[in-house]
Amino acid sequence: DGERVQDSHPVKASTKKSSKKISNLTNLTKPGSHFKRQRRLTSEVWVNYEFLDEPDENGNLLCKCKKCGTTYNADSKNGTGNLKRHVQNCKRRYYLDVGQMIIDSSSSGSLQNRLPSINADIFRELVASAIVRHDLPFQFAEYDGIRKCFSYLHPDVKVVSRNTLKADILKMYRREKSNLREYITAISSRISLTSDCWSSITTDGYISLTAHFIDNHWTLQKRILNFRFLPPPHSDVHMSDEVCSMLKEWGIQNKIMSITLDNASSNDVFADVVKSELDLICGGDYFHVRCCAHILNLVVQDGLKEIDDTVIKVRESVKYCKGSQARRQRFLTSVAHAELDNARGLRQDVPTRWNSTYLMLESVLYYKKAFIHFLKSDANYIHYPTTDEWVRIEKIFRFLKVFYDVTKVFSGTLYSTTNMYFPNVLKVRLLLKEEMGSTNKFMNKMANKMYENFSKYWANFSTIMAVAVVLDPRFKFQFVEWAYKRVYGEFEFESELSKFKDKFNTLYDAYYHEFAVVPSTSHSHTSNNKSRQRGVVNVDPVCDEFMTVNFLYCSKLLFYFIFINLQLQ
């Protein structure tokens, strides 16, 4: 009978009591016989379930979900409400299923897949985050291809317009800004700032402000606070007003330690105006810090203005080898003959960027054997350096390598660079002093020109850089003493070192009074706090003497290795 559903289930023998409880079964017979349902199953939910061969312990008919295997009572008197609720919440039904599509077609008239409900707010948040993260236009959500893609993933998705997305992103910005303001005002440390200005292609001015600080878990953090349009005029006073308004907006005007700027002359006035508006430690003596990488860039650029003829010959060699496809292929053949890696490639420099000149010299020295073979295979190649010129190229390369390595150290973003300034700048100063006595006229002239500009910046360097070296357990105070002796000589270094000690003690006292814990009323606790001022602690005199002697011995050994390293470089 097409109108009747037959279920063939072998059933075990049961008692009369059990058979009475199966209300929707008839003709239960002896073991091995079949039972059949007398009326039609009309509910759509039965497509998702299959009946079990055996009833439960009470004789009730059971069914199980085809997807997850969960069993339910299939007796007609219990209804199908719990079965429908399971179909909606079954975790294993989130994919295309022909049976489910047939169920949905009865109500909507079309075949469609049943998917979990979508949260419109979360979807809009994800789209807005994607636009911000990947720098997409607001019109991205209105592209036909994107809308079709979203509709395919879920038919109920509601794609918003670009104006709605813009409002969502602004709402997200205000929320994140509020969270960041609460976070940054709750930290106990002071905040160091970096700031810079740019001009776009359309000559619009922009200013940025970045905060660097140590959080309450002693982890180095960096947050971009502002990147905003800077209307004209771009004067010192106007820029200082903008920065002060930013700091007050974030509520950190009383938590600032320093600000790092490039070496433009206008920044001196800018820093002085901002300093007068803030509550700074030590009266703002350590507020203005000059960008170390920018200093090195200016020093090297001044020295390389009158470039050596050997470097010009190297530049022409690179241009010649990369001038045509045929010459490139011949050079690659020479590289293969010399058994070198052709993946590194020749670097052509930009005359206005000294680091590109360094990278060009590095690549040419690596392919030196290839150039020798290239000279034999190409009769038109006339820019090959002589033996003496190769020696000069290596010397210039080693000279620039020091500046390149130091600049890379100063450009780090995942670690603190303050404690690395003093030893690296000292390395540069000793290198310039050495090359000033060189017999090579070009190196001597370049070193003298660099040293002239370097001395100007050295005189204005921030003492906080030397303080960071003292706090670094690898160097401590002995390194500053040794460095001052090398820089100022035996007669002047004591007076300069004495000035540094006074500034160091003043800075320590300022931090002590700002962050010192209020002592307890207990007499023993008060006396203990007094003994800890300026780092004084109660220790055994013999132990203290041993530690002092041992530390001085280790320090002298460490500085000896540093001295040897500087001499070798």
Side-chain angles (χ1 to χ4, degrees), residues 63-96:
C63 65
K64 71 173 182 178
C65 177
K66 292 181 179 179
K67 299 301 179 181
C68 65
T70 304
T71 58
Y72 288 93
N73 193 331
D75 198 359
S76 61
K77 67 180 181 181
N78 295 321
T80 58
N82 58 336
L83 303 179
K84 291 180 179 179
R85 286 191 293 271
H86 174 74
V87 170
Q88 295 176 355
N89 300 322
C90 183
K91 296 182 179 180
R92 303 194 60 181
R93 299 190 56 81
Y94 293 164
Y95 53 89
L96 296 177

Side-chain angles (χ1 to χ4, degrees), residues 348-399:
Q348 188 169 343
D349 72 330
V350 179
T352 57
R353 298 180 63 87
W354 69 268
N355 56 333
S356 66
T357 303
Y358 164 79
L359 295 175
M360 179 187 68
L361 297 179
E362 182 184 37
S363 64
V364 168
L365 287 172
Y366 176 78
Y367 290 115
K368 181 178 178 181
K369 294 181 180 179
F371 276 105
I372 295 175
H373 184 270
F374 185 75
L375 177 64
K376 298 176 181 178
S377 60
D378 193 331
N380 296 323
Y381 177 46
I382 59 175
H383 302 292
Y384 182 77
T386 63
T387 304
D388 293 338
E389 288 173 336
W390 278 114
V391 174
R392 294 169 65 183
I393 291 172
E394 292 179 0
K395 191 170 184 64
I396 297 173
F397 169 74
R398 288 196 300 269
F399 179 77

Side-chain angles (χ1 to χ4, degrees), residues 475-476 478 550-560:
F475 301 109
K476 307 300 286 183
Q478 284 79 0
N550 185 56
F551 176 75
L552 289 175
Y553 173 77
C554 294
S555 299
K556 290 180 179 179
L557 188 62
L558 172 63
F559 295 140
Y560 173 76

Side-chain angles (χ1 to χ4, degrees), residues 346-488:
L346 283 175
R347 301 284 191 93
Q348 188 169 343
D349 72 330
V350 179
T352 57
R353 298 180 63 87
W354 69 268
N355 56 333
S356 66
T357 303
Y358 164 79
L359 295 175
M360 179 187 68
L361 297 179
E362 182 184 37
S363 64
V364 168
L365 287 172
Y366 176 78
Y367 290 115
K368 181 178 178 181
K369 294 181 180 179
F371 276 105
I372 295 175
H373 184 270
F374 185 75
L375 177 64
K376 298 176 181 178
S377 60
D378 193 331
N380 296 323
Y381 177 46
I382 59 175
H383 302 292
Y384 182 77
T386 63
T387 304
D388 293 338
E389 288 173 336
W390 278 114
V391 174
R392 294 169 65 183
I393 291 172
E394 292 179 0
K395 191 170 184 64
I396 297 173
F397 169 74
R398 288 196 300 269
F399 179 77
L400 294 179
K401 187 178 187 305
V402 176
F403 291 90
Y404 184 79
D405 293 341
V406 171
T407 302
K408 285 185 64 177
V409 171
F410 288 164
S411 302
T413 58
L414 301 178
Y415 53 86
S416 175
T417 57
T418 307
N419 57 320
M420 301 180 182
Y421 171 86
F422 194 78
N424 282 282
V425 169
L426 177 64
K427 184 191 301 184
V428 171
R429 193 180 193 279
L430 295 177
L431 175 68
L432 293 177
K433 290 288 287 185
E434 179 184 354
E435 294 299 335
M436 287 171 63
S438 174
T439 57
N440 187 306
K441 293 183 179 179
F442 168 72
M443 296 297 298
N444 183 282
K445 184 178 181 180
M446 183 170 61
N448 276 281
K449 195 167 186 177
M450 287 184 178
Y451 188 80
E452 181 181 351
N453 291 326
F454 181 84
S455 299
K456 178 179 64 176
Y457 294 118
W458 174 269
N460 296 324
F461 94 99
S462 179
T463 311
I464 199 70
M465 304 299 184
V467 171
V469 173
V470 175
L471 299 178
D472 192 330
R474 298 171 297 177
F475 301 109
K476 307 300 286 183
F477 184 79
Q478 284 79 0
F479 183 82
V480 178
E481 183 179 4
W482 175 81
Y484 271 44
K485 190 178 296 185
R486 292 294 306 272
V487 172
Y488 297 108

Side-chain angles (χ1 to χ4, degrees), residues 270-284:
F270 163 75
D272 291 337
V273 175
V274 175
K275 182 167 61 175
S276 62
E277 299 290 333
L278 303 177
D279 181 17
L280 300 171
I281 197 167
C282 294

Side-chain angles (χ1 to χ4, degrees), residues 27-28 277 401 495:
N27 298 329
L28 269 177
E277 299 290 333
K401 187 178 187 305
S495 61

Side-chain angles (χ1 to χ4, degrees), residues 95-97 100-101 104 111-115 152-153 155:
Y95 53 89
L96 296 177
D97 181 71
Q100 189 64 39
M101 294 170 67
D104 293 338
L111 295 180
Q112 53 182 309
N113 60 315
R114 174 179 290 274
L115 294 175
Y152 173 77
L153 294 176

